[in-house]
């Protein structure tokens, strides 16, 4: 009977017991997964962390530990914290863009109201029409009466 | 450390003599024992030492700070650690990008309404505002560059998928933890 050791036991060169805590989360077909977490956290710490968790949370924990380890290997100085910084910067940038556009919307809204007000005033006072004024000027010249001028 | 100065926090915890070239001494002073205790619990002194020795000296302070942060996150949230915070922030970014898209659409509508009525209808030309809609995808590109997993691993879609999904996480009622929701396609695609 050929028993397949998990990736952890293969890496650690030991026998893989039937109740091996790593076997469910570090299968033998993905040796890199365990190699990464072992490099950063150490097998002993991983085992302790998994033991301290309820069984139904261990899969998520193993995944997150692998992700953190991978980020740390990729960026030995900042690891996951580098990604958090990128995200925080992106949030700030998008918030600035939103604020800018909202200010433009507010400005355009005010400008549109101002134009509408002026248009309404023109409707109420047709004598302010420049064409009408020039017509009046022509008529007033013939009568020479300053009272016909409108300002 | 010579001259009667006290050993660093790591050598105190590990109960060993603190030499003058102790790799931990500059970053784990004796007046803050908790700092080393927590990184030792999560990463282990041996791993910390190896990591620091592989880095240039001027980068080690930042590395220690980020390790302390990750260790604290892991202690607060033993399941997700700081990955929970990443998931939460990604969700925030996605929501803000939707708000941005709505605001951009609104301003385009206003601008079109304010066009003089005698002008022929025109196709909206690409403007800087429009390009913001496409520029928001730069985040996915940047994260993809940063987080390029091995191509053989299905987890390469982790960040992209989690950005595209709806609300990934909820805040624990205590308000202290970011708890990613489980879904049938778990955020790491594993």
């Amino acid at each position: 009977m050929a028993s397949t050791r998990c990736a952890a036991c293969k890496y650690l060169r030991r026998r893989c017991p039937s109740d091996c805590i790593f076997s469910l989360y570090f299968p033998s077909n993905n040796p890199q997964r365990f190699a990464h977490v072992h490099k950063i956290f150490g097998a002993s710490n991983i085992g302790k962390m998994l033991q301290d968790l309820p069984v139904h949370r261990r899969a998520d924990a193993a995944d997150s530990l692998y992700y953190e380890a991978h980020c740390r290997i990729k960026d030995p100085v900042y690891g996951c914290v580098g990604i958090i910084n990128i995200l925080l910067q992106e949030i700030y940038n998008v918030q600035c863009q939103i604020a800018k556009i909202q200010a433009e919307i507010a400005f355009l809204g005010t400008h549109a109201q101002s134009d509408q007000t002026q248009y309404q005033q023109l409707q109420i006072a047709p004598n302010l029409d420049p064409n009408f004024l020039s017509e009046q000027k022509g008529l007033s010249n013939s009568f020479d009466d300053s009272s016909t001028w409108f300002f | 450390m010579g001259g009667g100065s006290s050993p660093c926090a790591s050598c105190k915890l590990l109960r060993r003599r603190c030499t003058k070239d102790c790799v931990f001494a500059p970053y784990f002073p004796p007046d803050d024992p908790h700092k080393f205790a927590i990184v030792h619990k999560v990463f282990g002194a041996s791993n910390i030492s190896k990591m620091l020795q592989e880095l240039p000296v001027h980068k080690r302070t930042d590395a220690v700070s980020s390790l302390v942060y990750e260790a604290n996150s892991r202690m607060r949230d033993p399941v997700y650690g700081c990955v929970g915070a990443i998931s939460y922030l990604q969700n925030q970014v996605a929501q803000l990008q939707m708000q941005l898209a709505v605001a951009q659409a609104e301003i385009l509508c206003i601008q079109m309404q304010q066009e003089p009525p005698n002008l022929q209808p025109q196709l909206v030309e690409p403007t800087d505002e429009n390009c913001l809609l496409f520029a928001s995808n730069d985040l996915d590109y940047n994260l993809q560059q940063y987080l390029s997993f091995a191509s053989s691993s299905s987890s390469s879609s982790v960040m992209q998928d989690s950005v595209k999904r709806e609300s990934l996480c909820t805040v624990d009622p205590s308000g202290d933890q970011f708890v990613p929701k489980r879904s049938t396609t778990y955020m790491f695609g594993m």
Side-chain angles (χ1 to χ4, degrees):
Chain A
M1 182 178 75
S3 60
T4 312
R5 290 183 293 170
C6 69
C9 294
K10 268 190 186 173
Y11 188 97
L12 298 170
R13 296 181 187 175
R14 66 184 193 191
R15 190 176 66 87
C16 190
S18 55
D19 59 348
C20 176
I21 193 161
F22 300 111
S23 59
L24 282 174
Y25 317 110
F26 299 100
S28 57
N29 60 353
N30 192 353
Q32 186 194 44
R33 186 174 154 94
F34 182 78
H36 280 185
V37 295
H38 177 56
K39 184 178 162 80
I40 300 301
F41 296 99
S44 171
N45 288 333
I46 298 285
K48 281 186 216 166
M49 284 191 235
L50 292 178
Q51 290 275 10
D52 290 342
L53 291 170
V55 176
H56 65 282
R57 305 307 295 270
R58 290 178 185 174
D60 286 353
D63 287 345
S64 70
L65 286 165
Y66 172 48
Y67 183 75
E68 270 195 50
H70 180 88
C71 290
R72 180 59 62 173
I73 287 169
K74 199 169 169 63
D75 182 355
V77 181
Y78 297 106
C80 277
V81 177
I83 298 174
I84 290 174
N85 284 337
I86 291 173
L87 288 168
L88 287 172
Q89 185 62 44
E90 186 65 23
I91 286 171
Y92 174 76
N93 291 342
V94 176
Q95 284 175 333
C96 287
Q97 289 172 16
I98 290 173
K100 181 183 166 193
I101 291 180
Q102 285 175 340
E104 286 181 26
I105 290 171
F107 172 75
L108 288 172
T110 308
H111 195 65
Q113 281 181 0
S114 167
D115 284 349
Q116 195 175 5
T117 306
Q118 287 180 6
Y119 179 72
Q120 287 172 350
Q121 285 174 349
L122 281 172
Q123 294 289 340
I124 292 168
N127 297 337
L128 291 176
D129 182 6
N131 292 332
F132 185 81
L133 280 173
S134 61
E135 286 172 5
Q136 291 297 311
K137 186 176 176 183
L139 288 172
S140 69
N141 284 341
S142 61
F143 292 106
D144 195 21
D145 184 359
S146 61
S147 65
T148 59
W149 287 99
F150 299 92
F151 296 99
Chain B
M1 304 294 286
S5 47
S6 66
C8 68
S10 59
C11 294
K12 263 189 186 175
L13 186 76
L14 299 172
R15 294 180 189 173
R16 64 185 194 190
R17 193 170 66 90
C18 191
T19 59
K20 62 179 180 184
D21 57 351
C22 174
V23 69
F24 300 113
Y27 317 106
F28 298 102
D31 57 354
D32 191 359
H34 175 74
K35 186 175 172 185
F36 181 77
I38 204 161
V39 293
H40 176 53
K41 190 171 166 66
V42 175
F43 296 100
S46 169
N47 291 329
I48 300 280
S49 172
K50 281 185 219 167
M51 283 190 244
L52 290 179
Q53 282 172 352
E54 286 171 4
L55 290 171
V57 175
H58 65 283
K59 296 276 192 179
R60 291 180 185 177
T61 305
D62 285 352
V64 167
S65 299
S66 67
L67 286 166
V68 170
Y69 180 86
E70 282 191 32
N72 276 314
S73 298
R74 182 59 63 174
M75 295 304 292
R76 269 199 310 271
D77 183 356
V79 180
Y80 297 107
C82 64
V83 179
I86 290 174
S87 183
Y88 175 80
L89 290 173
Q90 285 179 321
N91 192 29
Q92 260 201 317
V93 167
Q95 288 180 353
L96 285 171
Q97 285 175 339
M98 281 195 291
Q99 285 180 27
L100 179 63
V102 167
Q104 287 168 337
E106 194 177 334
I107 200 169
L108 283 173
C109 284
I110 292 174
Q111 286 170 346
M112 286 169 68
Q113 283 171 5
Q114 290 183 349
E115 288 290 330
N118 57 349
L119 283 180
Q120 293 292 329
Q122 292 175 5
L123 288 175
V124 177
E125 294 294 330
T127 62
D128 288 342
E129 286 81 11
N130 295 344
C131 289
L132 286 175
L133 281 168
F134 302 100
S136 64
N137 290 327
D138 284 348
L139 171 64
D140 287 347
Y141 177 76
N142 288 337
L143 280 177
Q144 190 178 358
Q145 290 284 341
Y146 189 89
L147 305 168
S148 53
F149 276 82
S151 59
S152 58
S153 167
S154 61
S155 58
S156 60
S157 60
V158 164
M159 285 304 178
Q160 297 169 18
D161 286 349
S162 54
V163 168
K164 290 173 190 166
R165 289 195 198 111
E166 293 183 352
S167 173
L168 285 173
C169 54
T170 183
V171 178
D172 185 83
S174 68
D176 289 337
Q177 293 186 347
F178 307 116
V179 183
K181 289 180 186 172
R182 289 297 303 274
S183 62
T184 53
T185 52
Y186 180 66
M187 70 176 192
F188 292 99
M190 296 173 182

